[in-house]
Amino acid sequence: MGVCLATSGPGATNLVTGIANAYLDSVPMVALTGQVQTWFIGKDAFQEIDITGITLPITKHNSLVLDVNDLAEAIKEAFYIARTGRPGPVLIDIPQDVLTNICEYHYPAHADLPGYRLPLQGHPAQIRKAAKMINEARNPVIVAGRGVIISGAFQELKQLAESSQIPVVNTLLGITAFPTNHVLSLGMGGMHGTAYANKAIDACDVLIAIGMRMDDRLTGQVSGFAPNAKIIHVDLDPAEIGKNVRVDVPIVGDIKKVLSALNKLISASQHVEWINDIEQWRTKYPLYRATDCEQLMPQHIMKHLNEATHGDALLVTGVGQHQMWAAQYYESNTVNSFISSGGLGTMGFGLPAAMGAKVGMPDKTVWCIDGDGSFQMTLHELATLVQDNIAVKIAIFNNGYLGMVRQWQELFFKRNYVGTPLTCPDFVKLAEAYCIPALRVTTQEEVPGAIKQAMDHDGPFLIDFMVEPEANVFPMVPPGAALAQFMDQPKKEVTAWPRQNTL
Amino acid sequence: MATTKHTLIALVQDRPGVLNRVASMFRRRGFNMDSVAVGHSETPHVSRVTIVVSGTTATVEQVRKQLAKLIEVIKVVDITQDQMTSRELALIKVRATSPTRSEIIEMTDIFRGNIVDVGADSLTIEVTGDEDKIESFLNLLRPFGIREIARTGRIAMVRGGTTGSSGEEKGISTRSREHVHISEDVE
């Protein structure tokens, strides 16, 4: 679990985006901020800011400790709250005098929180009802989210899917909850989900939502989401059930416990016709592989990354087109090996998160997949990367644009490219300035060699992939449309827009 | 779906900023709070918050769940469907001259209010009851000239032996709760 320290005032406010990101993506985290001395509080003292007030709506809990005797209890509570139940960020604001005061140390064995109880076991009657619904379903579909990963319910999910032959769609943050190469896996659903995943959600008669929160990027227009389906929603957080989408069978509880109870009641079935339907969609609307392109396309990079890492690396992304390409094409074989910013869509998430991932799992190969726009939002972290010698491999999908917004401008605003063309620095020279070895790749042929060189190097490495500037992410469900109304990859790529770049 | 008024009771830990957390949650999620009343409960260090909220059943259910999610909120109950006693207290300062004073006092008696302050040309009246009763009293006083009104917002309690501290568990969405109705409404 992540812990971060910041000083009062600007140090604390600089944490806000990170905290909000953790809040929306249920990431356990404790933030410790310094505060001015207790007697200065409320006086607008130097570097005094009301950080508990600022972070109130973006933390699972927060507190201002005014007495050193309360400090141990506050720390105990913070860690307990952050990592249990639905995880989330907790902030403790500690005035300077509280930090330097001395008291008798008593660390409580338990956090005393009468208002914090965790509904662990699902309601048996609801589980029976869900089981009956699943057993009677003709076209069932599972949508698995990050809750499955948090709960460690991979085996249970797999058993549910396999015993009853139910296809599995993943949310963005749930990508590794179910093996991507499994025959029942339909990949990611939603705005940039696979066509067959969205078709399956559209046509299913029972939708089993597990550990996900019906985010609008997944559901599309809510009235058109799984229009013919009865919906079973399993989640630890009761407030997520029925918040965005009507639910027929709500089950509040720990995913692992609920699924293992549910699995006992599921009878084996094949759903032959349904699986056939889906296979036909899979054949009719496959993910675009860019085999007809001579230019360097993001798909080529993802293909070689899959081959080089065998789906065993940790992939950490920024936010934008590159993130969607990574989500669509990464063939993960390892649970929890895809880290991305979901709810907040925080550009600049990639590099610092990849560094955290590498520090947390030093034996893993960690790839930071970033865009040229996203990367520039936090590229100053290269200093920390070098200072602490964190061996992150950075792949920049450089298209000279804030590509996702450009894509919307192209598709929905008549190519009125406002604010999206980027004048990027020379990323290779930038990396070299930090003494990080780097390569520029401009053709398909150079990709595998560059990836190998990066992985063979013992330490951080940067590759600047000069990809097709106007490549778009498809399929795409237009904003406000239902999932079934996805746009597929057009047959011909649009011609390139003149690139504004220092290169 | 129809918008109705719901009465929610929240038992909260008596800690600094807890009311701010409750109010902030309402603001941030766009829920409408008609009134809120806070005071001590029967348990030390536990405050009782009575919130009147307008919304559809689904919205209010979401309000209830979001409230229950706050760490310092121990328990939330929607008692709208229960037999409940609800009261509000109002202090009303009304213009009163010698020709009108006795009429106002008479009406105050009918509404079982109390005159709590007498000025040269005004009376301050304390009256309790549900919102309807206070509204009708205010309507009757209006022609005399109301100078100031202070109202507390609704507080409420389920009738009979059930207490707000028993029954429903925090975070579980069942809402039917049978209890024997023993007391009679006196108003």
Side-chain angles (χ1 to χ4, degrees):
Chain A
M1 125 161 199
V3 180
C4 56
L5 283 170
T7 189
S8 68
T13 56
N14 275 344
L15 294 183
V16 168
T17 305
I19 292 173
N21 189 91
Y23 181 68
L24 283 169
D25 288 350
S26 308
V27 177
M29 170 176 140
V30 170
L32 304 171
T33 50
Q35 183 55 280
V36 299
Q37 288 99 329
T38 47
W39 53 88
F40 277 132
I41 289 177
K43 307 285 195 290
D44 300 322
F46 177 66
Q47 294 193 332
E48 183 200 354
I49 203 75
D50 174 19
I51 195 64
T52 47
I54 290 172
T55 57
L56 189 95
I58 53 165
T59 47
K60 188 172 173 186
H61 193 61
N62 67 18
S63 59
L64 166 65
V65 181
L66 291 170
D67 181 343
V68 65
N69 291 295
D70 298 333
L71 189 55
E73 193 185 350
I75 302 272
K76 175 80 197 178
E77 285 179 6
F79 280 84
Y80 178 67
I81 291 169
R83 73 168 129 224
T84 54
R86 179 180 179 177
V90 178
L91 181 141
I92 314 176
D93 198 22
I94 312 170
Q96 192 188 321
D97 53 315
V98 174
L99 281 169
T100 49
N101 278 350
I102 290 171
C103 73
E104 196 75 33
Y105 177 69
H106 297 292
Y107 194 65
H110 305 285
D112 180 25
L113 298 162
Y116 185 67
R117 272 168 287 160
L118 304 166
L120 293 178
Q121 309 285 355
H123 197 289
Q126 294 293 86
I127 292 175
R128 279 198 299 276
K129 217 166 140 187
K132 186 164 178 288
M133 207 173 259
I134 296 169
N135 289 336
E136 288 169 1
R138 296 171 58 86
N139 311 326
V141 128
I142 293 170
V143 181
R146 190 170 130 76
V148 175
I149 298 171
I150 293 170
S151 172
F154 316 102
Q155 282 312 317
E156 289 75 9
L157 174 66
K158 210 167 159 205
Q159 193 189 331
L160 175 65
E162 285 174 350
S163 67
S164 194
Q165 290 295 299
I166 308 175
V168 180
V169 175
N170 291 313
T171 67
L172 173 67
L173 295 186
I175 276 176
T176 61
F178 193 73
T180 327
N181 51 7
H182 195 285
V183 66
L184 288 167
S185 169
L186 303 183
M188 181 173 72
M191 182 171 268
H192 289 296
T194 63
Y196 34 96
N198 288 342
K199 292 281 275 182
I201 291 174
D202 185 62
C204 70
D205 65 348
V206 171
L207 185 136
I208 310 147
I210 306 172
M212 49 85 83
R213 61 183 182 86
M214 300 285 183
D215 180 79
D216 54 275
R217 284 296 191 270
L218 184 278
T219 61
Q221 191 191 43
V222 169
S223 57
F225 177 73
N228 310 309
K230 290 206 157 55
I231 297 178
I232 300 164
H233 193 171
V234 187
D235 204 283
L236 185 61
D237 182 351
E240 289 303 345
I241 295 178
K243 186 180 78 179
N244 297 340
V245 168
R246 77 200 148 77
V247 170
D248 298 284
V249 183
I251 306 177
V252 177
D254 175 69
I255 310 282
K256 196 178 168 80
K257 292 198 167 71
V258 171
L259 290 191
S260 46
L262 184 64
N263 279 337
K264 294 193 184 100
L265 307 173
I266 297 295
S267 45
S269 51
Q270 298 295 325
H271 299 120
V272 178
E273 281 177 38
W274 175 232
I275 302 279
N276 271 340
D277 288 348
I278 289 173
E279 287 314 309
Q280 281 178 19
W281 293 325
R282 210 195 280 264
T283 319
K284 190 172 173 197
Y285 309 104
L287 271 179
Y288 178 62
R289 298 288 169 183
T291 44
D292 56 344
C293 273
E294 283 171 17
Q295 312 96 304
L296 174 59
M297 295 292 281
Q299 284 83 356
H300 303 136
I301 307 166
M302 288 312 301
K303 173 174 176 269
H304 290 294
L305 263 178
N306 281 330
E307 283 168 9
T309 61
H310 310 291
D312 192 39
L314 267 174
L315 224 68
V316 186
T317 78
V319 167
Q321 287 184 310
H322 68 277
Q323 174 193 31
M324 290 298 111
W325 283 313
Q328 289 177 329
Y329 295 95
Y330 186 49
E331 289 162 12
S332 95
N333 276 327
T334 323
V335 292
N336 208 6
S337 61
F338 182 82
I339 297 170
S340 197
S341 167
L344 194 65
T346 317
M347 288 178 72
F349 177 83
L351 181 59
M355 287 158 58
K358 182 65 186 176
V359 171
M361 301 186 86
D363 298 335
K364 281 273 183 188
T365 301
V366 176
W367 274 96
C368 168
I369 308 289
D370 226 332
D372 47 322
S374 194
F375 181 68
Q376 289 190 78
M377 299 220 172
T378 47
L379 62 74
H380 52 270
E381 293 297 339
L382 287 175
T384 319
L385 190 78
V386 174
Q387 193 166 306
D388 294 336
N389 192 31
I390 305 169
V392 169
K393 317 295 177 189
I394 303 162
I396 299 176
F397 288 24
N398 186 344
N399 55 12
Y401 282 111
L402 295 171
M404 187 56 91
V405 180
R406 185 209 54 76
Q407 175 170 344
W408 283 51
Q409 289 172 341
E410 177 191 330
L411 297 176
F412 310 116
F413 299 95
K414 300 178 181 170
R415 290 173 64 107
N416 185 17
Y417 291 172
V418 176
T420 47
L422 289 180
T423 306
C424 293
D426 182 331
F427 290 119
V428 174
K429 279 188 186 157
L430 181 84
E432 281 164 0
Y434 284 100
C435 300
I436 298 169
L439 279 177
R440 176 163 304 112
V441 171
T442 51
T443 64
Q444 294 179 26
E445 293 68 39
E446 297 167 276
V447 176
I451 290 175
K452 184 170 186 308
Q453 204 177 327
M455 290 179 68
D456 288 346
H457 176 73
D458 183 24
F461 200 97
L462 184 146
I463 309 175
D464 186 16
F465 289 104
M466 308 302 286
V467 298
E468 167 60 27
E470 287 191 294
N472 285 336
V473 185
F474 286 110
M476 177 179 195
V477 178
L483 291 185
Q485 298 161 300
F486 60 86
M487 302 153 74
D488 207 3
Q489 177 84 26
K491 291 289 171 252
K492 277 257 185 240
E493 263 298 306
V494 287
T495 51
W497 190 255
R499 180 189 194 93
Q500 297 191 10
N501 207 312
T502 49
L503 302 175
Chain B
M1 275 217 289
T3 297
T4 49
K5 283 194 177 192
H6 287 248
T7 306
L8 301 183
I9 306 289
L11 295 173
V12 304
Q13 280 183 281
D14 185 9
R15 286 192 181 182
V18 64
L19 189 60
N20 183 20
R21 278 179 206 282
V22 170
S24 164
M25 190 282 289
F26 271 76
R27 174 196 56 75
R28 122 124 178 82
R29 293 195 182 266
F31 299 136
N32 286 317
M33 190 189 268
D34 284 9
S35 78
V36 58
V38 193
H40 294 301
S41 73
E42 69 281 4
T43 316
H45 313 299
V46 173
S47 298
R48 182 175 174 118
V49 188
T50 311
I51 303 165
V52 180
V53 54
S54 295
T56 62
T57 313
T59 308
V60 176
E61 179 65 6
Q62 196 37 220
V63 171
R64 201 188 59 72
K65 286 172 170 179
Q66 294 293 350
L67 267 177
K69 235 170 109 164
L70 300 175
I71 306 287
E72 284 155 344
V73 172
I74 300 165
K75 187 173 150 57
V76 191
V77 200
D78 182 349
I79 62 167
T80 315
Q81 299 299 316
D82 295 296
Q83 295 283 338
M84 62 165 171
T85 305
S86 78
R87 290 289 182 277
E88 188 175 343
L89 184 144
L91 291 174
I92 306 155
K93 189 177 284 180
V94 64
R95 211 166 80 88
T97 51
S98 37
T100 59
R101 187 168 283 133
S102 60
E103 197 182 338
I104 294 171
I105 293 172
E106 211 169 284
M107 272 194 289
T108 305
D109 281 344
I110 296 170
F111 277 83
R112 299 186 205 177
N114 295 313
I115 309 288
V116 290
D117 185 55
V118 182
D121 60 349
S122 73
L123 285 171
T124 303
I125 305 162
E126 163 207 308
V127 63
T128 61
D130 58 24
E131 288 90 337
D132 285 350
K133 177 184 164 185
I134 291 172
E135 277 306 323
S136 6
F137 187 47
L138 284 171
N139 284 336
L140 288 169
L141 288 182
R142 227 157 242 138
F144 299 100
I146 293 175
R147 288 183 169 168
E148 205 175 348
I149 302 171
R151 296 173 69 161
T152 57
R154 183 191 292 181
I155 55 167
M157 201 171 263
V158 174
R159 291 168 184 270
T162 323
T163 67
S165 337
S166 65
E168 273 180 86
E169 280 298 303
K170 170 177 170 169
I172 309 292
S173 72
T174 54
R175 86 126 292 102
S176 66
R177 186 145 46 87
E178 299 280 322
H179 63 264
V180 187
H181 181 196
I182 41 167
S183 53
E184 282 295 321
D185 198 347
V186 287
E187 297 274 337

